[in-house]
Amino acid sequence: MDSEMLTSSEVEEQIPSDAVVEEGQEDDEVQSSGGEQTDGTTAHVSEQPAIPLRDIGNQATWKLSTWKPGFGVHALISESTDLYWQSDAPQPHHIDIHFAKRVEIAKIMMYLDYRRDESYTPSKIAVYAGSGYHDLHEVLSLGLEEPVGWIDISLAHAGKDGFLKAFLVRLSVLQNHQTGKDTHIRGIKILSPDRQANDIDDDGLPFNSVAFLAHSTIR
């Protein structure tokens, strides 16, 4: 089936708006990727500022290139890794994640399970970003070898301050293990710096309400 799309309001039904992750037709073990980018560096190497991260996937509109009935967007954003998206067409397969405003993205986490999915498991993926479809450009490509668990894809190299800034992110599956055609992905998280959580005083209280700000200046 072609092109499944969910708006941010529909996505919010699946993921709480305050979720914090610690652990289209347009075309639970956490582990390092074990894959390599085209420049030969491992995907999880990064030099990002030490800022808490949160999942912002609920703020986006999600669009799939193709999907089999019952194996669409809801499987990707579910907290259960027993569910999965399954594509339904020749490669490449695309997941488009579109935000209403430009966002900062520190990393993307993707749950893959070669032990269960075998030839449906991606062996080569690419990440593209831009302000829209007209200026999508490749941020990185990544090779994977029999991955099992959460794959940590750092985007620290994509911006001067260690964060990718974009309205639209596209994840593309370019190749599968064992020359498989369709693909399975069991979860995706889009992690952004949680600057509000980082703005706290020594007592652990964020001073960001109107009442606090009214008395924030020194007289």
Side-chain angles (χ1 to χ4, degrees), residues 10-176:
E10 292 172 309
V11 173
E12 285 170 0
E13 297 177 2
Q14 302 296 317
I15 302 178
S17 61
D18 59 350
V20 177
V21 179
E22 297 176 355
E23 330 164 27
Q25 192 98 14
E26 280 246 35
D27 290 13
D28 266 53
E29 56 205 280
V30 177
Q31 66 173 40
S32 324
S33 66
E36 300 217 342
Q37 297 180 25
T38 50
D39 62 2
T41 60
T42 56
H44 61 280
V45 171
S46 64
E47 296 181 359
Q48 287 161 333
I51 296 177
L53 302 178
R54 63 190 179 99
D55 187 354
I56 59 170
N58 63 319
Q59 299 177 18
T61 298
W62 294 65
K63 191 174 185 180
L64 305 177
S65 53
T66 62
W67 58 290
K68 286 188 179 294
F71 298 91
V73 170
H74 287 283
L76 284 175
I77 61 179
S78 170
E79 291 299 318
S80 173
T81 55
D82 291 329
L83 305 178
Y84 54 85
W85 164 53
Q86 181 171 327
S87 60
D88 191 22
Q91 296 165 350
H93 309 300
H94 304 304
I95 302 170
D96 293 341
I97 306 165
H98 207 150
F99 295 90
K101 62 180 182 179
R102 192 173 73 156
V103 295
E104 294 180 307
I105 302 174
K107 65 177 67 176
I108 297 171
M109 297 185 71
M110 179 183 301
Y111 195 96
L112 303 175
D113 194 339
Y114 178 79
R115 291 180 300 199
R116 287 191 282 184
D117 298 326
E118 298 185 339
S119 64
Y120 288 90
T121 309
S123 61
K124 185 177 182 180
I125 62 174
V127 178
Y128 302 84
S131 59
Y133 290 108
H134 65 286
D135 65 351
L136 275 178
H137 62 279
E138 184 177 299
V139 176
L140 63 82
S141 62
L142 175 66
L144 301 165
E145 185 172 351
E146 301 184 2
V148 177
W150 284 104
I151 309 305
D152 187 336
I153 306 172
S154 171
L155 300 174
H157 69 287
K160 293 181 180 179
D161 57 356
F163 302 110
L164 171 68
K165 296 180 176 65
F167 285 85
L168 173 64
V169 174
R170 167 174 284 186
L171 303 178
S172 294
V173 177
L174 307 179
Q175 185 176 309
N176 281 350

Side-chain angles (χ1 to χ4, degrees), residues 169-199:
V169 174
R170 167 174 284 186
L171 303 178
S172 294
V173 177
L174 307 179
Q175 185 176 309
N176 281 350
H177 286 74
Q178 304 174 18
T179 66
K181 182 186 78 169
D182 283 316
T183 199
H184 287 179
I185 297 178
R186 294 176 175 269
I188 291 177
K189 297 181 185 294
I190 310 297
L191 300 186
S192 177
D194 189 352
R195 301 194 182 281
Q196 181 176 351
N198 199 50
D199 184 23

